[in-house]
Amino acid sequence: MARLNDFLPVFIFPQKLEFFMDDVTTFKSTLSIYNPYNFPLRYKLKRSVKEENKYQVSEPEGVVKSHCCVDLVIRHQQPYLENVGTKDVFRVKIIRDSDKKHIAQQDVPATLYRSRDEHLQAAGVNRQGDIRRPGTSRQTESRVTTPRETLDQAHHSSDSDGVPPQLDPLVVIIGLVCLLVLALPYQGEDNYYLPEYVRTTESYRLSAAFFLGMVVLYIFIKR
């Protein structure tokens, strides 16, 4: 975000340009200028380099309409070893189109690197985006485990400790209820100890047997 004294801020992205000799796709970069206001803005892009042919800019001057953005295509035309590490600067000047008043500016550095991997290693970041401590070798850096590996480790640790996994109390209650239903007599049987309303039918017993089988299967999988 660019801002000049107490004037309006203007949004420019990215904040820096990076080019890599080992990746030709990075030789062309895009610089976006956003105008969130209700009036148009005029921009001018100037560069600090003396060589006119080092960079090619698609539209170094232009107008950004209200609530719009403009993408400037910047091409690095001299990705040579002698230019590695040289930090050039693109200065974006923002001018209010109505009164030609200079209201903001921002410097965007542009740097050419030999390779992306070397740049990431120098910054302490590996290819996956993990930050490494300086001087730490690849063998000693921590590895992110997947959820599946975490479950396997928890299962092996519980087995090694000799502590059986705890069952869900709801599953135990369902299993006990199913056993009770199967133990009750049928309706119509001669039984003077239990009233008629606590006796079961064939459909109840089949349902209880099904759910009891599911409980046994669940306990077997858990162990």
Side-chain angles (χ1 to χ4, degrees):
M1 182 177 66
R3 186 165 185 165
L4 184 65
N5 297 330
D6 295 329
F7 294 105
L8 295 176
V10 177
F11 301 91
I12 299 175
F13 182 83
Q15 301 295 316
K16 59 182 179 180
L17 302 175
E18 294 179 341
F19 306 94
F20 301 96
M21 291 186 61
D22 62 343
D23 188 356
V24 295
T25 60
T26 63
F27 294 171
K28 182 179 72 172
S29 187
T30 301
L31 187 67
S32 300
I33 303 175
Y34 298 88
N35 179 12
Y37 304 110
N38 295 323
F39 50 86
L41 297 175
R42 182 173 295 275
Y43 70 89
K44 290 184 179 181
L45 184 65
K46 296 184 177 182
R47 40 194 165 179
S48 62
V49 293
K50 297 179 180 180
E51 302 88 346
E52 294 293 334
N53 297 327
K54 189 174 184 179
Y55 297 96
Q56 180 184 3
V57 183
S58 57
E59 297 180 20
E61 296 185 18
V63 176
V64 186
K65 296 180 180 180
S66 173
H67 300 289
C68 295
C69 72
V70 171
D71 294 331
L72 309 181
V73 179
I74 301 176
R75 298 176 184 271
H76 199 304
Q77 300 191 126
Q78 297 181 8
Y80 308 139
L81 284 175
E82 56 267 24
N83 292 328
V84 170
T86 302
K87 181 177 291 186
D88 302 318
V89 176
F90 288 92
R91 173 163 294 180
V92 183
K93 290 187 175 183
I94 304 298
I95 303 169
R96 190 158 44 200
D97 194 45
S98 58
D99 55 5
K100 311 302 179 183
K101 187 176 182 180
H102 181 201
I103 62 172
Q105 72 180 31
Q106 179 169 330
D107 291 342
V108 180
T111 310
L112 175 67
Y113 298 96
R114 186 187 301 269
S115 68
R116 188 185 297 273
D117 289 337
E118 288 184 3
H119 174 58
L120 294 178
Q121 290 175 3
V125 182
N126 62 16
R127 202 110 166 101
Q128 286 75 27
D130 301 327
I131 299 177
R132 295 205 305 268
R133 296 178 181 176
T136 304
S137 62
R138 182 176 298 274
Q139 287 77 10
T140 59
E141 62 186 62
S142 60
R143 184 173 64 88
V144 178
T145 58
T146 63
R148 176 67 180 177
E149 293 173 341
T150 304
L151 291 175
D152 292 340
Q153 291 174 2
H155 177 69
H156 291 320
S157 62
S158 62
D159 292 343
S160 61
D161 296 339
V163 180
Q166 295 182 354
L167 296 177
D168 190 350
L170 180 61
V171 176
V172 176
I173 294 174
I174 294 175
L176 293 177
V177 171
C178 292
L179 288 175
L180 179 62
V181 172
L182 293 175
L184 293 175
Y186 282 106
Q187 290 183 354
E189 288 186 357
D190 294 333
N191 193 315
Y192 301 101
Y193 300 100
L194 295 176
E196 187 70 20
Y197 63 84
V198 296
R199 301 186 184 187
T200 61
T201 61
E202 185 67 26
S203 60
Y204 287 158
R205 297 175 74 89
L206 289 175
S207 300
F210 171 77
F211 285 108
L212 182 61
M214 296 298 294
V215 169
V216 173
L217 180 62
Y218 174 80
I219 294 175
F220 178 78
I221 293 176
K222 287 285 289 185
R223 293 182 177 275

